[in-house]
Amino acid sequence: MLLRPYLRLLALCLAMLTPLAASAQTLDELVARLPDGSYDDRAAVVAEIAATGDPRALAVLEALLEGELEQRNSDGRIVIVGGTRRAPTGTDALTGEELGELGRRATERIRVNNSLRRTIRTAMGVMTLRDPDPARRLAAAEAALRSPAVEQLDALDAAMQAEELDYIREAQTLAHAATILASDADTETKIEAVGVIAGAPALTVQSTLNAYRAAEDPALAEAVADAIDAAERRQALWGQAQNLWFGLSLGSVLLLAAIGLAITFGVMGVINLAHGELVMLGAYTTFVVQETIRTHAPEYFGWSLAIAVPLAFLVVGAVGVAIERGIVRHLYGRPLETLLATWGVSLILQQAVRSVFGPTNREVGTPDWMSGAFQLGEMTVTWPRVAIVVFSLTVFFGLLLTMRYSAMGLQMRAVTQNRAMAANLGIRTGRVDALTFGLGAGIAGLAGVALSQIDNVSPNLGQGYIIDSFLVVVFGGVGNLWGTLAAAMSLGVANKFLEPWAGAVLGKILILIFIILFIQKRPRGLFPQRGRAAEG
């Protein structure tokens, strides 16, 4: 009795290693033999079925493993039984032909026991390791790594030798090393396997080697402990890199949300509490664009964000000009009244959006080219975050070039430094104010387009960013674009490094306290702006 598992394993290995001999019988003939003989005979037939390489074999073995493979009494046909117990239906195991209802006692189940189930799983694993589909080969290697079975050792070795794709071969190599650890190989071979696994990602190293920490062999236990310790150190290092990346991506979001406010506040000295709602309008512009494309031209959905960017800038910029011309220009020199007026505008915009679109969140999709993620070392980087970082820096440098080299930028800087002299030189300061407010609002709309990809699009979207935007502007230096960039990135990184230690809420409180203390020492921020805003 003790020799049966070894004889079964020997039969399986011989069948796998001699496919030409096994292929003397077709899959149809082998499947017809399944109901006959003992469990050991059935195991030998399973090994021969796996060795045929017939693409139909995997479905047959899956049905046998699940207890769904039966023999029809009337003609001996092998069928896969489905449906319900009272009304079972049948499908031919080899041709896939639908046989309809079978009758309650029309078939006899092909029985399996635990030992045979292990043989079936091994055979299926071997077949999948050599599957033509790379995704299935990779999945088989990953499954073998999670649940190493000694029976698959030779199959893994053969698959490694035949594999042409490097990333699949790497997965098979890890599975092969994990299987060696689970075998009765000598200590030196196992230590070599530990060395192979030690080069895997930290989580894989820990999950694979933890079970061998208490190995009886001291040399093996020491090698395992060293590999796990090295993996934990590497994981901690990559964790810091992940926090840095999250901080930079958060800083990019803050930069987009604050850069328009920095322009408005720096040139005009207006505390615009409706800035968050302008961001929200940009997000809803994106939603409207996508809904229109979904309805009328779904094949162009991949271009939805490219269309939404200029539209959001123009729509929200026009709203900004209307706010400045209709309300703000009458309140210059009265900061408290300007603050209250823009707060009122924010409430009006929120209610208008609720009336038009409703109070619930709206779905904004992500185009295929922005979906997914990739691995950088041992951290996961999502494409939407990469796109936002690139987009925010593009907007920043575009605005910087506009301010430095365009006629409008020259006039804006002149008004910032000395409004009275600029007016005396013929610059229409009122027009500059309107265009500046519109420019700041348009950039807020661009921020809304970006935020629609990572946040819920709702009437309250802007409320989550208005306070942070003001903190960025004040910390960086009112009206200074480089200061806004430095402040946004600094606060984003600080947030992400404080959150694991102090929590999200306490982390924000600590940052607020730091900024208050910093402003006590440097009231004009990191990079103080020269001109009217500084003098006031």
Side-chain angles (χ1 to χ4, degrees), residues 10-80:
L10 179 61
L12 177 64
C13 292
L14 288 173
M16 298 299 164
L17 295 174
T18 57
L20 294 176
S23 64
Q25 285 189 305
T26 65
L27 178 66
D28 301 61
E29 295 170 336
L30 291 169
V31 170
R33 287 173 49 195
L34 276 174
D36 304 329
S38 64
Y39 289 122
D40 290 338
D41 297 331
R42 210 162 289 160
V45 173
V46 165
E48 292 182 41
I49 287 174
T52 62
D54 194 305
R56 301 172 296 169
L58 191 59
V60 172
L61 294 182
E62 285 176 348
L64 180 61
L65 182 65
E66 298 298 327
E68 298 173 350
L69 200 66
E70 303 189 12
Q71 183 180 37
R72 191 160 66 177
N73 296 329
S74 60
D75 55 5
R77 198 171 187 175
I78 305 300
V79 298
I80 299 175

Side-chain angles (χ1 to χ4, degrees), residues 371-394:
S371 302
F374 64 94
Q375 287 294 126
L376 181 61
E378 294 192 22
M379 70 178 189
T380 302
V381 180
T382 58
W383 284 114
R385 293 279 182 180
V386 173
I388 288 176
V389 171
V390 173
F391 181 64
S392 64
L393 292 177
T394 302

Side-chain angles (χ1 to χ4, degrees), residues 4 44 57 89 117 172 175 191 225 228 243 261 283 309 338 354 360 368 396 404 407 411 509 520 523 529:
R4 282 188 177 183
T89 59
R117 287 190 184 92
Q172 292 170 344
I191 290 176
I228 292 176
N243 283 338
L261 189 63
V309 165
T338 305
R354 285 192 180 94
T360 57
D368 291 339
F396 172 80
R404 180 174 292 273
Q411 292 177 8
I509 292 174
Q520 296 299 313
Q529 176 78 333

Side-chain angles (χ1 to χ4, degrees), residues 332-526:
Y332 289 138
R334 292 180 281 176
L336 180 59
E337 293 179 27
T338 305
L339 185 148
L340 292 174
T342 54
W343 178 57
V345 170
S346 74
L347 297 179
I348 292 171
L349 291 176
Q350 284 187 46
Q351 189 56 48
V353 167
R354 285 192 180 94
S355 300
V356 176
F357 298 101
T360 57
N361 295 342
R362 291 294 182 170
E363 179 186 0
V364 174
T366 301
D368 291 339
W369 58 271
M370 268 183 63
S371 302
F374 64 94
Q375 287 294 126
L376 181 61
E378 294 192 22
M379 70 178 189
T380 302
V381 180
T382 58
W383 284 114
R385 293 279 182 180
V386 173
I388 288 176
V389 171
V390 173
F391 181 64
S392 64
L393 292 177
T394 302
V395 171
F396 172 80
F397 286 109
L399 182 59
L400 202 65
L401 292 175
T402 300
M403 294 289 291
R404 180 174 292 273
Y405 296 110
S406 71
M408 179 184 171
L410 179 62
Q411 292 177 8
M412 288 170 59
R413 287 186 287 125
V415 173
T416 301
Q417 293 172 13
N418 194 316
R419 175 180 288 269
M421 183 173 290
N424 290 332
L425 291 174
I427 295 176
R428 297 166 58 187
T429 57
R431 179 176 177 272
V432 171
D433 287 339
L435 292 178
T436 301
F437 206 99
L439 178 62
I443 293 174
L446 297 182
V449 176
L451 289 175
S452 70
Q453 299 301 302
I454 61 172
D455 208 340
N456 295 322
V457 177
S458 72
N460 299 320
L461 171 64
Q463 296 299 304
Y465 295 94
I466 184 64
I467 301 300
D468 287 337
S469 297
F470 274 107
L471 288 178
V472 168
V473 171
V474 173
F475 180 49
V478 175
N480 189 297
L481 293 182
W482 286 109
T484 303
L485 174 65
M489 294 303 176
S490 299
L491 294 182
V493 171
N495 256 307
K496 288 304 177 182
F497 275 92
L498 282 174
E499 278 181 9
W501 172 69
V505 176
L506 183 56
K508 282 187 176 293
I509 292 174
L510 291 174
I511 288 176
L512 179 59
I513 293 172
F514 165 75
I515 291 177
I516 291 173
L517 295 176
F518 179 83
I519 295 301
Q520 296 299 313
K521 294 292 185 183
R522 297 194 57 164
R524 297 181 184 177
L526 284 172

Side-chain angles (χ1 to χ4, degrees), residues 176-183 190-191 193-194 197 208-209 212 220 224:
H176 185 265
T179 306
I180 288 177
L181 279 176
S183 71
K190 288 187 174 183
I191 290 176
V194 170
I197 296 171
T208 306
L209 296 183
Y212 303 98
L220 178 60
V224 167

Side-chain angles (χ1 to χ4, degrees), residues 95-423:
T95 66
E97 177 188 354
E98 297 289 343
L99 304 177
E101 290 194 17
L102 296 173
R104 294 188 60 183
R105 298 183 182 276
T107 58
E108 184 72 24
R109 178 176 295 178
I110 301 176
R111 301 188 179 278
V112 295
N113 60 6
N114 289 337
S115 179
L116 180 55
R117 287 190 184 92
R118 286 194 294 271
T119 303
I120 295 171
R121 289 193 186 97
T122 301
M124 290 173 60
V126 170
M127 291 177 64
T128 314
L129 284 168
R130 303 296 295 273
D131 194 280
D133 184 359
R136 299 197 69 173
R137 296 202 303 274
L138 180 62
E142 291 173 344
L145 175 62
R146 290 191 299 270
S147 303
V150 178
E151 297 88 349
Q152 294 191 23
L153 197 57
D154 291 333
L156 282 166
D157 188 54
M160 289 163 52
Q161 300 300 323
E163 185 56 59
E164 297 179 355
L165 299 177
D166 291 340
Y167 70 97
I168 297 179
R169 190 186 305 110
E170 289 174 6
Q172 292 170 344
T173 302
L174 289 176
H176 185 265
T179 306
I180 288 177
L181 279 176
S183 71
D184 57 357
D186 59 83
T187 300
E188 184 178 350
T189 303
K190 288 187 174 183
I191 290 176
E192 290 177 0
V194 170
V196 172
I197 296 171
L203 291 177
T204 301
V205 174
Q206 292 168 341
S207 61
T208 306
L209 296 183
N210 267 331
Y212 303 98
R213 274 184 179 272
E216 294 182 1
D217 191 305
L220 178 60
E222 183 180 358
V224 167
D226 290 343
I228 292 176
D229 290 343
E232 289 175 347
R233 290 192 298 270
R234 192 167 68 248
Q235 185 180 30
L237 184 62
W238 278 107
Q240 298 302 313
Q242 184 90 62
N243 283 338
L244 178 61
W245 165 246
F246 285 159
L248 292 176
S249 60
L250 174 60
S252 299
V253 172
L254 294 178
L255 176 64
L256 276 175
I259 192 171
L261 189 63
I263 291 295
T264 305
F265 198 7
V267 174
M268 305 169 63
V270 175
I271 302 175
N272 179 20
L273 288 185
H275 185 78
E277 279 59 48
L278 298 176
V279 172
M280 175 261 294
L281 289 180
Y284 273 98
T285 302
T286 308
F287 166 72
V288 172
V289 168
Q290 290 197 348
E291 285 300 297
T292 303
I293 291 177
R294 282 192 180 104
T295 304
H296 300 290
E299 66 274 16
Y300 294 109
F301 185 81
W303 294 91
S304 60
L305 292 186
I307 297 170
V309 165
L311 281 179
F313 181 83
L314 293 174
V315 169
V316 183
V319 172
V321 171
I323 292 173
E324 196 280 334
R325 290 287 86 186
I327 298 173
V328 174
R329 73 185 180 99
H330 302 293
L331 302 174
Y332 289 138
R334 292 180 281 176
L336 180 59
E337 293 179 27
T338 305
L339 185 148
L340 292 174
T342 54
W343 178 57
V345 170
S346 74
L347 297 179
I348 292 171
L349 291 176
Q350 284 187 46
Q351 189 56 48
V353 167
R354 285 192 180 94
S355 300
V356 176
F357 298 101
T360 57
N361 295 342
R362 291 294 182 170
E363 179 186 0
V364 174
T366 301
D368 291 339
W369 58 271
M370 268 183 63
S371 302
F374 64 94
Q375 287 294 126
L376 181 61
E378 294 192 22
M379 70 178 189
T380 302
V381 180
T382 58
W383 284 114
R385 293 279 182 180
V386 173
I388 288 176
V389 171
V390 173
F391 181 64
S392 64
L393 292 177
T394 302
V395 171
F396 172 80
F397 286 109
L399 182 59
L400 202 65
L401 292 175
T402 300
M403 294 289 291
R404 180 174 292 273
Y405 296 110
S406 71
M408 179 184 171
L410 179 62
Q411 292 177 8
M412 288 170 59
R413 287 186 287 125
V415 173
T416 301
Q417 293 172 13
N418 194 316
R419 175 180 288 269
M421 183 173 290

